[in-house]
Structures are given as C-alpha cells and as structure tokens.
Amino acid sequence: MIEINNLHKYFGDNEVLKGISNKVNEKEVVCIIGPSGSGKSTFLRCMNLLEDVTDGTITIDGQEITAKKTNVPKIRSQVGMVFQHFNLFPHKTALQNIILGPLKVKKMPKEEAEKKGMELLEKVGLVDKAHMYPGSLSGGQKQRVAICRALAMDPKVMLFDEPTSALDPELVGEVLNVMKDLAKDGMTMVVVTHEMNFAREVGDRVIFIDGGYIVEEGDPNELFQNPQSERLQTFLGEILV
Amino acid sequence: MRTIAILEYFDFIRFDIIWNYRELYFRGLLVTIALTAVGYTCGIILGLLFGLGKMSERKWIYYPAKWYVDFFRGTPLLVQILLIHTALIPTLFGHSLGFFVSGSIALMLNSAAYIAEIFRAGIQSLDKGQMEAARSLGMPHGVAMRQIILPQAFRRMVPPLGNELIALLKDSSLVTVIAATDILYAAKVTAGAYFRFWEPYLFAALLYLILTWVCTKVIAYVENRYSTSYIPAKRRRFFMRKHGV
C-alpha cells in the first residue's frame, strides 16, 4: 500500500529524517513511537506531502507521490489525516466540517454528502452534535468529528498524528475506540502515538524512530517485552513507569 | 408653547444661526458621508491588495506594498491631502478636479494602508493548522483560502475595520483645508458670519457624534451577525426536521 524508500528530510541544515525505508501493507495498522523531536511526526506528514521531501520516494497504491509532476491536492484527497490539535474549522458546524471536502473537492451533491456525513457521525455516536460548532464540543468529540471529516473523503490510508495527545485522560478512550473500530473495518492506518496499550491491542506492527532513523520495528508485544536496542529500552523505561 | 418656553430659557444659545445655515449643514453632512463612504469602500479593496502584497514571498511585490504602507501610515493625513490636491492631481491632469475627487482619493489611499495591515494581521493570526487541515482534504490553495482562511480572517477583521471606519469618518474633517464643503466647513462659515463659536462647533461635534454612533451600531450588528456561533434559527429548525435530530 505504502512504500517508503530512503526518505530524507532537511529543515534548513538540520537533517530530521536520515534515510527511512519501510512498507505498509493494505489493512495494516502501523504504530510509530519515539521520543519527541525524533522525526516521527515529520515522517507521517511527508506521507501526506504536508512536508516536501528532500530526497527519496514514497509510493502510495502504486502512485509515486514524491514524483515532480504529481497532482498534490489529488494525493492528499486520498490520504486522510487526523491532527493532534484537531484543526476543525471553527466557523463550520460538525456536519459542515465533514461534508466540505466531499462538496468542494469531490463535487459530490449536497444531499448525498450530508447523508454520508450523518452516517459517519452515527458511527462515532455524535449524530446529536451534527449542527453544533466545534467551540461547543469537548476535545474527544472534536477529534471524533475530525476523524469523520477525514473518512468522508474515502481515503485509502488514514494517518494519525498523536490523535490523543491533546486530550484530557478521560476522553482518550472514546477516540481510541473509534480508531479500533476503524482498524476492525480494515482501514490501513499509520498512527503516531504514545498510547502503548493501543499499539499493543490494535497495532499489527510498531516502528520505533529515534534521531531520524528507524531503530527497531516488529510485533508490538514482542517489541515491548523484549526490546533489542538500548535506546528503545531507555525509551520504554521512561514512558512505562 | 412649551418648547418655545424651554428655548427662551436657553436664549443665550443662538439656535437660529444654525437654523439659518441649515442647508449648508445638510450639504456638509452629505459630503462627509459621501467622502467617508467612497474613501472607505475603495480603501478596503485597495487595502486587500496591499495586504496580500505584504504577505507575498516575491520581493518585487512585497517591497512596494511595504513602502506604500510605511509612507501612508508614517505621514500625516493632512499633508497627504494637500499633496494630492495641490501637487499630484494638478500635475497629472493639468488642473484641479475639485475637492471631492482629491479628498476621496486621499482618504482612500490613507485608509488602504491601515486596512492592509488589518487584513494581513487577520490572516496571519489564524492557526497554521487550519490551512494544513484544508490542504490535507485535497483542497487547492485558492479553495482553501476562500472556504477556510478568508471567512475566519474576515470575522477577526470586523472590529478593527470598524475602528478604522470611525477614525476615517472623523479624519475626513481634515478635507476642509482644501475647501471641501463638509460638516466642519459649514461650522466654520457659520462661525465666521456671526462671530460666535460655541454653537457652530458644538453642533458640528454633535453631527459627527451622531454619525459615529450610527457606525458603532452597524459594526456591533455585523460583529454579532458574523460571530462563530450564529446560525439563523430558520436554517437550524429546517436542518433538525430534515435529519430527525
């Protein structure tokens, strides 16, 4: 589904990604963990071309998205993205947030888009909030709406950039449950997260990134119980206190 | 009868001198409104262009826009009015085009500089995540600008734009130096004719106060109308019925 080949990313003189290669299969849930500043968010954002790649290639569903002549908006419309700070549009209601992409990018008729939006909201249990503005929703509700907004475009892949990091602890569960359901439905997902339980329960594979490299990867349970590298041992020791 | 009795009590105030010049005041009122309206409307359009210019990454767009804003914010409006009326327009056209053309051009150019800054600040104060979210849905830059960035930026711009309108309305009184027949001109003529100063200038102040008060009300209405949580009740009821919420 996704193939990443020798990916390099510089911010000015600072090399953030130092040659990352990996492959994500269809319907696979890959969790990316790592200390802050390790490049894991940058890596994720490259897959949606929110960061331009300095060197290397990324191929999604047979299409090389890093090629020079790609239609960037079209690629982004096929890759769903969920942000740490939700980034809902505050001047649009929950439903308007969700249908905006289908309406403006896919030129879907309004009736159809609204019907689909309501179905998505029903899935995440927020039908009654459809006409509320983001300002009057809780963090967990906002993030669930944001997930719907990304799903409304029927993406081939969903990218999650620390989707629960900005939430109060008691609201994390409702968002993770939505993500679990999504995984069960067979969505291909790449999740940057600090939720080790989620990674263990839902993740098919965990990638540990540090210093711009993939240091270790493998089955979540094995990786957490039996970390090979010293850096992963230290990292897990710090977060699993 | 009662009214006349009250007026007699205030007979040290000469209401009649205002009354005698009522047509001049009325004309002045219209001129002040027209100058402000033309200057402000054109100023908004020009201000948007310069605001965009100041956000441009191309240097040949950025610097002229910056210089423009620096000049018109950094020099007195009075000087600008005189420059335009007595120097710029006669040089370009060979003769004067009257106070209204010079006055509205000066007000337009001046307010455009302030509005450019309001516009730039309105856009740049938005969270960068808004653009990213819009782009991540596959919206091209123009669509993201129109659908996501500008509507939010306009909301933030309403209060400062309102301030600018009121400031411009009051500053428009400076055009009396080029013999524009605005409110202040009417007051000056009355004062000169009767050699009385309280009544004409207080009355002029009152007229300006009424105009700014009306502006304040309109701005408050617009602010309320475009606040984030506003949904017309009709639309909300219609939606709820349709989806059985």
Side-chain angles (χ1 to χ4, degrees), chain B residues 40 44 151-163 165 213-231:
Chain B
Y40 188 65
I44 283 183
Q152 294 186 62
F154 275 125
R155 268 177 200 138
R156 294 189 183 194
M157 283 158 57
V158 170
L161 279 179
N163 288 342
L165 173 62
W213 180 80
V214 171
C215 288
T216 311
K217 288 289 158 194
V218 171
I219 294 158
Y221 172 79
V222 173
E223 235 172 278
N224 188 32
R225 173 69 177 74
Y226 288 100
S227 74
T228 313
S229 53
Y230 180 88
I231 326 173

mmCIF file of all heavy atoms in Angstrom, chain B residues 40 44 151-163 165 213-231:
data_model
loop_
_atom_site.group_PDB
_atom_site.id
_atom_site.type_symbol
_atom_site.label_atom_id
_atom_site.label_comp_id
_atom_site.label_asym_id
_atom_site.label_seq_id
_atom_site.Cartn_x
_atom_site.Cartn_y
_atom_site.Cartn_z
ATOM 1 N N TYR B 40 -13.646 54.819 2.166
ATOM 2 C CA TYR B 40 -13.581 53.564 2.919
ATOM 3 C C TYR B 40 -13.761 52.355 1.996
ATOM 4 O O TYR B 40 -12.997 51.393 2.062
ATOM 5 C CB TYR B 40 -14.669 53.584 3.995
ATOM 6 C CG TYR B 40 -14.605 52.442 4.972
ATOM 7 C CD1 TYR B 40 -13.525 52.304 5.836
ATOM 8 C CD2 TYR B 40 -15.645 51.520 5.047
ATOM 9 C CE1 TYR B 40 -13.478 51.273 6.752
ATOM 10 C CE2 TYR B 40 -15.605 50.490 5.969
ATOM 11 C CZ TYR B 40 -14.521 50.363 6.820
ATOM 12 O OH TYR B 40 -14.489 49.338 7.724
ATOM 13 N N ILE B 44 -10.915 49.674 1.243
ATOM 14 C CA ILE B 44 -10.957 48.243 1.567
ATOM 15 C C ILE B 44 -10.407 47.433 0.406
ATOM 16 O O ILE B 44 -9.569 46.548 0.582
ATOM 17 C CB ILE B 44 -12.398 47.810 1.928
ATOM 18 C CG1 ILE B 44 -12.725 48.282 3.341
ATOM 19 C CG2 ILE B 44 -12.551 46.296 1.821
ATOM 20 C CD1 ILE B 44 -14.072 47.856 3.841
ATOM 21 N N PRO B 151 -12.970 33.417 5.377
ATOM 22 C CA PRO B 151 -14.136 33.628 6.248
ATOM 23 C C PRO B 151 -13.741 33.833 7.710
ATOM 24 O O PRO B 151 -14.330 34.658 8.403
ATOM 25 C CB PRO B 151 -14.942 32.330 6.089
ATOM 26 C CG PRO B 151 -14.504 31.745 4.807
ATOM 27 C CD PRO B 151 -13.076 32.163 4.615
ATOM 28 N N GLN B 152 -12.736 33.090 8.172
ATOM 29 C CA GLN B 152 -12.309 33.254 9.570
ATOM 30 C C GLN B 152 -11.559 34.565 9.762
ATOM 31 O O GLN B 152 -11.723 35.242 10.773
ATOM 32 C CB GLN B 152 -11.394 32.105 9.980
ATOM 33 C CG GLN B 152 -12.089 30.778 10.020
ATOM 34 C CD GLN B 152 -11.184 29.699 10.564
ATOM 35 O OE1 GLN B 152 -10.739 29.763 11.698
ATOM 36 N NE2 GLN B 152 -10.887 28.702 9.755
ATOM 37 N N ALA B 153 -10.739 34.908 8.774
ATOM 38 C CA ALA B 153 -9.971 36.148 8.888
ATOM 39 C C ALA B 153 -10.913 37.351 8.887
ATOM 40 O O ALA B 153 -10.747 38.275 9.679
ATOM 41 C CB ALA B 153 -8.978 36.251 7.731
ATOM 42 N N PHE B 154 -11.951 37.325 8.035
ATOM 43 C CA PHE B 154 -12.890 38.444 7.973
ATOM 44 C C PHE B 154 -13.550 38.666 9.319
ATOM 45 O O PHE B 154 -13.770 39.792 9.742
ATOM 46 C CB PHE B 154 -13.942 38.215 6.887
ATOM 47 C CG PHE B 154 -13.484 38.660 5.532
ATOM 48 C CD1 PHE B 154 -13.491 37.792 4.452
ATOM 49 C CD2 PHE B 154 -13.036 39.956 5.336
ATOM 50 C CE1 PHE B 154 -13.046 38.195 3.210
ATOM 51 C CE2 PHE B 154 -12.602 40.375 4.098
ATOM 52 C CZ PHE B 154 -12.600 39.493 3.021
ATOM 53 N N ARG B 155 -13.891 37.557 9.981
ATOM 54 C CA ARG B 155 -14.509 37.689 11.306
ATOM 55 C C ARG B 155 -13.594 38.425 12.263
ATOM 56 O O ARG B 155 -14.034 39.241 13.051
ATOM 57 C CB ARG B 155 -14.789 36.315 11.868
ATOM 58 C CG ARG B 155 -16.153 35.943 11.489
ATOM 59 C CD ARG B 155 -16.540 34.569 11.914
ATOM 60 N NE ARG B 155 -17.634 34.282 11.047
ATOM 61 C CZ ARG B 155 -17.868 33.157 10.435
ATOM 62 N NH1 ARG B 155 -17.083 32.152 10.649
ATOM 63 N NH2 ARG B 155 -18.872 33.037 9.637
ATOM 64 N N ARG B 156 -12.336 38.103 12.222
ATOM 65 C CA ARG B 156 -11.392 38.775 13.128
ATOM 66 C C ARG B 156 -11.165 40.208 12.709
ATOM 67 O O ARG B 156 -10.736 41.033 13.508
ATOM 68 C CB ARG B 156 -10.047 38.054 13.106
ATOM 69 C CG ARG B 156 -10.161 36.681 13.682
ATOM 70 C CD ARG B 156 -8.825 36.050 13.863
ATOM 71 N NE ARG B 156 -9.050 34.706 14.357
ATOM 72 C CZ ARG B 156 -8.132 33.943 14.873
ATOM 73 N NH1 ARG B 156 -6.904 34.391 14.963
ATOM 74 N NH2 ARG B 156 -8.419 32.743 15.309
ATOM 75 N N MET B 157 -11.416 40.489 11.424
ATOM 76 C CA MET B 157 -11.139 41.828 10.928
ATOM 77 C C MET B 157 -12.269 42.811 11.202
ATOM 78 O O MET B 157 -12.066 44.017 11.106
ATOM 79 C CB MET B 157 -10.873 41.768 9.423
ATOM 80 C CG MET B 157 -9.488 41.254 9.083
ATOM 81 S SD MET B 157 -9.415 40.603 7.417
ATOM 82 C CE MET B 157 -9.950 41.994 6.477
ATOM 83 N N VAL B 158 -13.462 42.301 11.517
ATOM 84 C CA VAL B 158 -14.604 43.213 11.675
ATOM 85 C C VAL B 158 -14.361 44.286 12.744
ATOM 86 O O VAL B 158 -14.516 45.477 12.452
ATOM 87 C CB VAL B 158 -15.909 42.431 11.949
ATOM 88 C CG1 VAL B 158 -17.026 43.391 12.356
ATOM 89 C CG2 VAL B 158 -16.327 41.667 10.705
ATOM 90 N N PRO B 159 -13.937 43.933 13.969
ATOM 91 C CA PRO B 159 -13.730 45.009 14.950
ATOM 92 C C PRO B 159 -12.670 46.040 14.532
ATOM 93 O O PRO B 159 -12.967 47.238 14.551
ATOM 94 C CB PRO B 159 -13.319 44.258 16.217
ATOM 95 C CG PRO B 159 -13.833 42.877 16.022
ATOM 96 C CD PRO B 159 -13.769 42.609 14.563
ATOM 97 N N PRO B 160 -11.472 45.653 14.098
ATOM 98 C CA PRO B 160 -10.520 46.686 13.675
ATOM 99 C C PRO B 160 -10.974 47.468 12.449
ATOM 100 O O PRO B 160 -10.696 48.661 12.330
ATOM 101 C CB PRO B 160 -9.222 45.920 13.394
ATOM 102 C CG PRO B 160 -9.593 44.506 13.297
ATOM 103 C CD PRO B 160 -10.825 44.315 14.107
ATOM 104 N N LEU B 161 -11.703 46.797 11.533
ATOM 105 C CA LEU B 161 -12.226 47.534 10.380
ATOM 106 C C LEU B 161 -13.243 48.575 10.826
ATOM 107 O O LEU B 161 -13.328 49.662 10.255
ATOM 108 C CB LEU B 161 -12.873 46.577 9.372
ATOM 109 C CG LEU B 161 -11.944 45.847 8.412
ATOM 110 C CD1 LEU B 161 -12.745 44.932 7.497
ATOM 111 C CD2 LEU B 161 -11.146 46.831 7.573
ATOM 112 N N GLY B 162 -14.024 48.231 11.850
ATOM 113 C CA GLY B 162 -14.983 49.183 12.406
ATOM 114 C C GLY B 162 -14.282 50.386 13.000
ATOM 115 O O GLY B 162 -14.673 51.538 12.764
ATOM 116 N N ASN B 163 -13.208 50.127 13.744
ATOM 117 C CA ASN B 163 -12.425 51.239 14.301
ATOM 118 C C ASN B 163 -11.907 52.137 13.199
ATOM 119 O O ASN B 163 -11.924 53.359 13.312
ATOM 120 C CB ASN B 163 -11.220 50.710 15.092
ATOM 121 C CG ASN B 163 -11.652 50.090 16.399
ATOM 122 O OD1 ASN B 163 -12.761 50.342 16.867
ATOM 123 N ND2 ASN B 163 -10.793 49.285 16.967
ATOM 124 N N LEU B 165 -13.180 52.612 10.267
ATOM 125 C CA LEU B 165 -14.280 53.392 9.682
ATOM 126 C C LEU B 165 -14.539 54.643 10.520
ATOM 127 O O LEU B 165 -14.663 55.756 9.992
ATOM 128 C CB LEU B 165 -15.544 52.536 9.591
ATOM 129 C CG LEU B 165 -16.815 53.285 9.156
ATOM 130 C CD1 LEU B 165 -16.665 53.859 7.760
ATOM 131 C CD2 LEU B 165 -18.038 52.382 9.213
ATOM 132 N N TRP B 213 -21.987 57.272 16.172
ATOM 133 C CA TRP B 213 -22.869 56.410 16.949
ATOM 134 C C TRP B 213 -23.578 55.412 16.026
ATOM 135 O O TRP B 213 -23.661 54.225 16.321
ATOM 136 C CB TRP B 213 -23.886 57.272 17.705
ATOM 137 C CG TRP B 213 -24.834 56.487 18.533
ATOM 138 C CD1 TRP B 213 -24.610 55.964 19.763
ATOM 139 C CD2 TRP B 213 -26.171 56.109 18.180
ATOM 140 N NE1 TRP B 213 -25.716 55.285 20.201
ATOM 141 C CE2 TRP B 213 -26.696 55.361 19.243
ATOM 142 C CE3 TRP B 213 -26.984 56.339 17.052
ATOM 143 C CZ2 TRP B 213 -27.977 54.834 19.237
ATOM 144 C CZ3 TRP B 213 -28.261 55.809 17.040
ATOM 145 C CH2 TRP B 213 -28.756 55.068 18.120
ATOM 146 N N VAL B 214 -24.048 55.920 14.881
ATOM 147 C CA VAL B 214 -24.697 55.025 13.912
ATOM 148 C C VAL B 214 -23.701 53.954 13.454
ATOM 149 O O VAL B 214 -24.019 52.763 13.402
ATOM 150 C CB VAL B 214 -25.242 55.825 12.705
ATOM 151 C CG1 VAL B 214 -25.706 54.887 11.602
ATOM 152 C CG2 VAL B 214 -26.380 56.729 13.144
ATOM 153 N N CYS B 215 -22.464 54.374 13.162
ATOM 154 C CA CYS B 215 -21.433 53.418 12.731
ATOM 155 C C CYS B 215 -21.221 52.348 13.804
ATOM 156 O O CYS B 215 -21.150 51.153 13.500
ATOM 157 C CB CYS B 215 -20.107 54.120 12.470
ATOM 158 S SG CYS B 215 -20.121 55.104 10.983
ATOM 159 N N THR B 216 -21.121 52.775 15.052
ATOM 160 C CA THR B 216 -20.906 51.824 16.139
ATOM 161 C C THR B 216 -22.007 50.774 16.169
ATOM 162 O O THR B 216 -21.745 49.585 16.331
ATOM 163 C CB THR B 216 -20.879 52.564 17.493
ATOM 164 O OG1 THR B 216 -20.008 53.669 17.383
ATOM 165 C CG2 THR B 216 -20.414 51.657 18.599
ATOM 166 N N LYS B 217 -23.249 51.230 15.980
ATOM 167 C CA LYS B 217 -24.385 50.307 16.000
ATOM 168 C C LYS B 217 -24.285 49.308 14.849
ATOM 169 O O LYS B 217 -24.518 48.113 15.021
ATOM 170 C CB LYS B 217 -25.705 51.079 15.901
ATOM 171 C CG LYS B 217 -26.063 51.833 17.155
ATOM 172 C CD LYS B 217 -26.471 50.867 18.250
ATOM 173 C CE LYS B 217 -26.295 51.522 19.612
ATOM 174 N NZ LYS B 217 -26.357 50.576 20.719
ATOM 175 N N VAL B 218 -23.946 49.823 13.666
ATOM 176 C CA VAL B 218 -23.847 48.946 12.499
ATOM 177 C C VAL B 218 -22.738 47.911 12.714
ATOM 178 O O VAL B 218 -22.917 46.717 12.456
ATOM 179 C CB VAL B 218 -23.578 49.765 11.214
ATOM 180 C CG1 VAL B 218 -23.267 48.845 10.044
ATOM 181 C CG2 VAL B 218 -24.785 50.634 10.901
ATOM 182 N N ILE B 219 -21.595 48.380 13.240
ATOM 183 C CA ILE B 219 -20.470 47.468 13.465
ATOM 184 C C ILE B 219 -20.865 46.383 14.462
ATOM 185 O O ILE B 219 -20.595 45.202 14.261
ATOM 186 C CB ILE B 219 -19.239 48.240 13.981
ATOM 187 C CG1 ILE B 219 -18.737 49.184 12.894
ATOM 188 C CG2 ILE B 219 -18.131 47.278 14.382
ATOM 189 C CD1 ILE B 219 -17.919 50.335 13.451
ATOM 190 N N ALA B 220 -21.540 46.794 15.548
ATOM 191 C CA ALA B 220 -21.954 45.819 16.558
ATOM 192 C C ALA B 220 -22.879 44.783 15.937
ATOM 193 O O ALA B 220 -22.765 43.585 16.217
ATOM 194 C CB ALA B 220 -22.651 46.526 17.715
ATOM 195 N N TYR B 221 -23.770 45.235 15.046
ATOM 196 C CA TYR B 221 -24.677 44.301 14.388
ATOM 197 C C TYR B 221 -23.887 43.313 13.526
ATOM 198 O O TYR B 221 -24.100 42.099 13.585
ATOM 199 C CB TYR B 221 -25.691 45.060 13.528
ATOM 200 C CG TYR B 221 -26.529 44.150 12.669
ATOM 201 C CD1 TYR B 221 -27.603 43.452 13.221
ATOM 202 C CD2 TYR B 221 -26.217 43.943 11.321
ATOM 203 C CE1 TYR B 221 -28.352 42.587 12.453
ATOM 204 C CE2 TYR B 221 -26.973 43.081 10.549
ATOM 205 C CZ TYR B 221 -28.037 42.408 11.109
ATOM 206 O OH TYR B 221 -28.766 41.541 10.342
ATOM 207 N N VAL B 222 -22.954 43.846 12.721
ATOM 208 C CA VAL B 222 -22.171 42.981 11.821
ATOM 209 C C VAL B 222 -21.356 41.977 12.639
ATOM 210 O O VAL B 222 -21.293 40.789 12.322
ATOM 211 C CB VAL B 222 -21.241 43.828 10.926
ATOM 212 C CG1 VAL B 222 -20.315 42.945 10.114
ATOM 213 C CG2 VAL B 222 -22.064 44.701 10.005
ATOM 214 N N GLU B 223 -20.752 42.476 13.723
ATOM 215 C CA GLU B 223 -19.943 41.605 14.566
ATOM 216 C C GLU B 223 -20.773 40.437 15.093
ATOM 217 O O GLU B 223 -20.363 39.292 15.074
ATOM 218 C CB GLU B 223 -19.433 42.415 15.765
ATOM 219 C CG GLU B 223 -17.942 42.392 15.927
ATOM 220 C CD GLU B 223 -17.527 43.367 17.011
ATOM 221 O OE1 GLU B 223 -17.408 44.576 16.725
ATOM 222 O OE2 GLU B 223 -17.343 42.912 18.142
ATOM 223 N N ASN B 224 -21.970 40.766 15.529
ATOM 224 C CA ASN B 224 -22.856 39.764 16.091
ATOM 225 C C ASN B 224 -23.313 38.784 15.013
ATOM 226 O O ASN B 224 -23.319 37.573 15.208
ATOM 227 C CB ASN B 224 -24.057 40.485 16.703
ATOM 228 C CG ASN B 224 -24.930 39.539 17.477
ATOM 229 O OD1 ASN B 224 -24.417 38.587 18.051
ATOM 230 N ND2 ASN B 224 -26.213 39.787 17.467
ATOM 231 N N ARG B 225 -23.616 39.340 13.850
ATOM 232 C CA ARG B 225 -24.133 38.542 12.753
ATOM 233 C C ARG B 225 -23.102 37.518 12.278
ATOM 234 O O ARG B 225 -23.442 36.411 11.892
ATOM 235 C CB ARG B 225 -24.515 39.495 11.616
ATOM 236 C CG ARG B 225 -24.918 38.871 10.307
ATOM 237 C CD ARG B 225 -26.255 38.164 10.435
ATOM 238 N NE ARG B 225 -26.661 37.626 9.150
ATOM 239 C CZ ARG B 225 -26.106 36.556 8.594
ATOM 240 N NH1 ARG B 225 -25.147 35.930 9.208
ATOM 241 N NH2 ARG B 225 -26.518 36.115 7.418
ATOM 242 N N TYR B 226 -21.827 37.912 12.318
ATOM 243 C CA TYR B 226 -20.803 37.007 11.797
ATOM 244 C C TYR B 226 -20.016 36.311 12.882
ATOM 245 O O TYR B 226 -18.957 35.772 12.632
ATOM 246 C CB TYR B 226 -19.871 37.766 10.842
ATOM 247 C CG TYR B 226 -20.564 38.097 9.546
ATOM 248 C CD1 TYR B 226 -21.082 39.345 9.315
ATOM 249 C CD2 TYR B 226 -20.736 37.111 8.587
ATOM 250 C CE1 TYR B 226 -21.760 39.640 8.145
ATOM 251 C CE2 TYR B 226 -21.401 37.389 7.418
ATOM 252 C CZ TYR B 226 -21.917 38.648 7.200
ATOM 253 O OH TYR B 226 -22.594 38.923 6.041
ATOM 254 N N SER B 227 -20.528 36.344 14.104
ATOM 255 C CA SER B 227 -19.807 35.610 15.145
ATOM 256 C C SER B 227 -19.960 34.119 14.865
ATOM 257 O O SER B 227 -20.890 33.689 14.198
ATOM 258 C CB SER B 227 -20.354 35.965 16.519
ATOM 259 O OG SER B 227 -21.602 35.341 16.686
ATOM 260 N N THR B 228 -19.013 33.342 15.385
ATOM 261 C CA THR B 228 -18.895 31.939 15.017
ATOM 262 C C THR B 228 -20.169 31.140 15.259
ATOM 263 O O THR B 228 -20.513 30.269 14.494
ATOM 264 C CB THR B 228 -17.764 31.295 15.820
ATOM 265 O OG1 THR B 228 -16.661 32.163 15.750
ATOM 266 C CG2 THR B 228 -17.405 29.962 15.275
ATOM 267 N N SER B 229 -20.870 31.452 16.348
ATOM 268 C CA SER B 229 -21.950 30.541 16.725
ATOM 269 C C SER B 229 -23.292 30.947 16.130
ATOM 270 O O SER B 229 -24.310 30.405 16.476
ATOM 271 C CB SER B 229 -22.056 30.488 18.238
ATOM 272 O OG SER B 229 -22.173 31.791 18.728
ATOM 273 N N TYR B 230 -23.266 31.925 15.213
ATOM 274 C CA TYR B 230 -24.538 32.390 14.678
ATOM 275 C C TYR B 230 -25.076 31.451 13.610
ATOM 276 O O TYR B 230 -24.431 31.179 12.616
ATOM 277 C CB TYR B 230 -24.372 33.791 14.091
ATOM 278 C CG TYR B 230 -25.649 34.338 13.507
ATOM 279 C CD1 TYR B 230 -26.534 35.038 14.304
ATOM 280 C CD2 TYR B 230 -25.960 34.138 12.177
ATOM 281 C CE1 TYR B 230 -27.703 35.538 13.782
ATOM 282 C CE2 TYR B 230 -27.133 34.634 11.643
ATOM 283 C CZ TYR B 230 -28.002 35.337 12.450
ATOM 284 O OH TYR B 230 -29.161 35.817 11.924
ATOM 285 N N ILE B 231 -26.291 30.916 13.845
ATOM 286 C CA ILE B 231 -26.984 30.208 12.781
ATOM 287 C C ILE B 231 -28.389 30.798 12.751
ATOM 288 O O ILE B 231 -29.015 30.911 13.793
ATOM 289 C CB ILE B 231 -27.183 28.702 13.050
ATOM 290 C CG1 ILE B 231 -26.016 28.115 13.819
ATOM 291 C CG2 ILE B 231 -27.467 27.945 11.782
ATOM 292 C CD1 ILE B 231 -26.285 26.684 14.234
#
